[in-house]
Amino acid sequence: GERGAWRAVRAAQQTLATLTDDLAREVLAARLEPARPFLQSFERAARDAARQAGKRARLHVDAADAELDRHAMDRLRSPLLHLIRNAVDHGIDPPGARAARGVDDTGTVTLSAFSAAGQVTVTVRDDGPGVNYAEVARAAGRPHDPGDPAAEAELTELLFTPGFSSRQEVTDLSGRGVGLDVVRTQARALGGDVTLRSGPQGTTVTVQFPLTLATTRVAVVRVAGQLLGVPVRWVDRAGRARVQPHEGRPAVRIGERVVPAASLAAALNLGPARDGAYLLVRQGEASLALLVDALIGEEELVIKPLAFPLAGAPHLEGAAQLPDGQIVPVLNIRALRPAATSRVPDAPPRAPRVLLAEDTAVTRQLLRGILTGAGFDVTAVENGALAWEAAQRAAPDLLLTDVEMPQLGGLDLTRQVRAHPQLQHLPVVLLTSLGHPEDRERGAEAGADAYLVKGDFDEAALVATLRRLL
């Protein structure tokens, strides 16, 4: 009868699930390789960096029995090379300075890896004197308060900014402003993130990412009417949210703990939300109750990278297809900075005014959201003619424009800006799909201050470019 048929279907489903899990374990085992030989391959890079910097340094590898996905190892090679060079050049002090500190004149860079609960942690630690935050503040043009941990956290974040360097001279190892931003980009491309901690005993950079890139366990949630995915490796627990005020901020009581809470809808500028449930997520050493409308369930999903205009958005790990065919964005929780964890300045300066000209509605809306979230006051128009009218009515602080647009293209708009007495010094950034060298030359000849290609789009690089020009 129907009941017997239903039992047969359930039995078949359980058998299929068991076979699928067995196959997944076999695939995972086939992809994993011992981490130690991979990590030991960086010993020569450490020696070469020490020789170029005029220092003495050794590389110590601590991997125990850790295993890594071989595809992840391929993608980690370049960022780990950056970290080891930075550790030798910026972290290890010269022999004379080490002798004055009473330590061995040969510095040690420790490269370690371990895996637990489906997560891999790789650290690069040096035994130098730590980050010189006074020098970082000087390079950034900011005051330095050694007793303010929040200020040092902001200076640490500056080290990950594209183009930032505390070195005034350019050498084979330093001064190009390339390093930690590359590491962060690569870590997030692996579905992870990177953090830096520094003190008098040295600096440690930690890279975390999933054990395998094949599939990822994802918690599916509803936020402001939209489905979103959150990798469960960042989630400690979940439940119904009962939000209450605590020390002037929203919070959720979880057992005996009172945990700061923040709305995921607000962090993503998605509009009003019901905030009926929470995900307890880890952000560095702190915990945060991330508020969502509802918990839908968990799925084992294949996360695929995104193309422009979403590629490079640090808060997006990729997208995945649910069993019913729906596509959900998968968030990188470590890259989010919800309001509950942000330090609010006492007197925020006026937001820089950016005039955005972009004829594609989806791209225009996305760029507006990115720049607004980064603290810019954005006026967005759909072509160069409207941008020209808007600039003459109220001069912006910066013009961000596409090149190929109806009525008035970005190159002609730039030329008109440069010929206008009141606008001729306005910073102009071209953001376009045209990436050939001759296209860049035409942009420079028109008078653009920066030329960014949509195919290489990176949200952090865009924001850093605008801030550099303002």
Side-chain angles (χ1 to χ4, degrees), residues 218-242:
V218 174
V220 182
V221 299
R222 181 177 289 111
V223 179
Q226 301 184 35
L227 291 183
L228 298 173
V230 177
V232 298
R233 62 180 175 273
W234 305 122
V235 181
D236 287 333
R237 61 185 294 180
R240 295 183 61 185
R242 294 179 178 85

Side-chain angles (χ1 to χ4, degrees), residues 134-297:
E135 186 65 19
V136 175
R138 181 205 60 77
R142 297 187 179 187
H144 178 232
D145 181 1
D148 186 354
E152 289 199 350
E154 291 182 358
L155 292 174
T156 297
E157 189 64 22
L158 272 179
L159 298 175
F160 291 92
T161 303
F164 181 82
S165 176
S166 61
R167 291 291 176 87
Q168 294 180 320
E169 75 280 359
V170 175
T171 70
D172 289 339
L173 294 175
S174 300
R176 293 177 173 82
V178 176
L180 288 178
D181 63 304
V182 174
V183 176
R184 171 170 281 178
T185 298
Q186 291 291 338
R188 289 176 173 172
L190 289 170
D193 207 354
V194 58
T195 57
L196 182 148
R197 296 186 63 184
S198 187
Q201 305 304 315
T203 299
T204 300
V205 180
T206 302
V207 183
Q208 288 185 308
F209 54 92
L211 176 62
T212 176
L213 306 183
T215 61
T216 301
R217 193 74 179 169
V218 174
V220 182
V221 299
R222 181 177 289 111
V223 179
Q226 301 184 35
L227 291 183
L228 298 173
V230 177
V232 298
R233 62 180 175 273
W234 305 122
V235 181
D236 287 333
R237 61 185 294 180
R240 295 183 61 185
R242 294 179 178 85
V243 182
Q244 60 187 35
H246 180 71
E247 297 181 353
R249 290 184 172 185
V252 171
R253 180 173 292 278
I254 302 174
E256 299 299 319
R257 302 169 58 195
V258 177
V259 181
S263 169
L264 182 54
L268 297 173
N269 296 315
L270 294 180
R274 189 163 57 87
D275 294 340
Y278 72 86
L279 297 175
L280 183 63
V281 300
R282 300 182 298 277
Q283 289 202 320
E285 297 182 352
S287 294
L288 176 71
L290 206 56
L291 302 175
V292 300
D293 289 4
L295 306 172
I296 305 302

Side-chain angles (χ1 to χ4, degrees), residues 121-132:
T121 300
V122 178
T123 64
V124 178
R125 184 176 71 253
D126 66 65
D127 63 352
V131 172
N132 186 341

Side-chain angles (χ1 to χ4, degrees), residues 9-92:
V9 169
R10 292 294 300 271
Q13 288 177 332
Q14 292 175 357
T15 300
L16 179 60
T18 301
L19 291 173
T20 302
D21 290 343
D22 290 344
L23 179 60
R25 282 191 290 270
E26 290 178 9
V27 170
L28 174 59
R31 294 171 66 104
L32 297 179
E33 295 181 359
R36 179 173 292 276
F38 169 67
L39 300 182
Q40 288 174 332
S41 69
F42 292 97
E43 290 177 346
R44 180 175 178 179
R47 290 196 303 269
D48 291 346
R51 186 177 64 254
Q52 290 177 274
K55 300 177 181 180
R56 297 174 184 173
R58 67 173 71 91
L59 182 70
H60 173 68
V61 172
D62 180 11
D65 297 324
E67 293 182 314
L68 296 178
D69 186 309
R70 60 175 176 270
H71 297 297
M73 285 192 279
D74 291 340
R75 295 167 70 177
L76 273 174
R77 187 170 297 279
S78 177
L80 284 182
L81 187 59
H82 277 297
L83 289 179
I84 290 167
R85 287 174 171 171
N86 279 347
V88 173
D89 193 39
H90 292 276
I92 300 296

Side-chain angles (χ1 to χ4, degrees), residues 388 392 415-425:
W388 177 239
Q392 293 180 92
R415 294 186 185 101
Q416 291 183 195
V417 166
R418 291 291 172 251
H420 192 281
Q422 279 74 47
L423 299 174
Q424 58 181 330
H425 300 298

Side-chain angles (χ1 to χ4, degrees), residues 376-392:
F376 297 98
D377 179 7
V378 182
T379 298
V381 296
E382 60 194 45
N383 59 56
L386 293 176
W388 177 239
E389 294 175 4
Q392 293 180 92

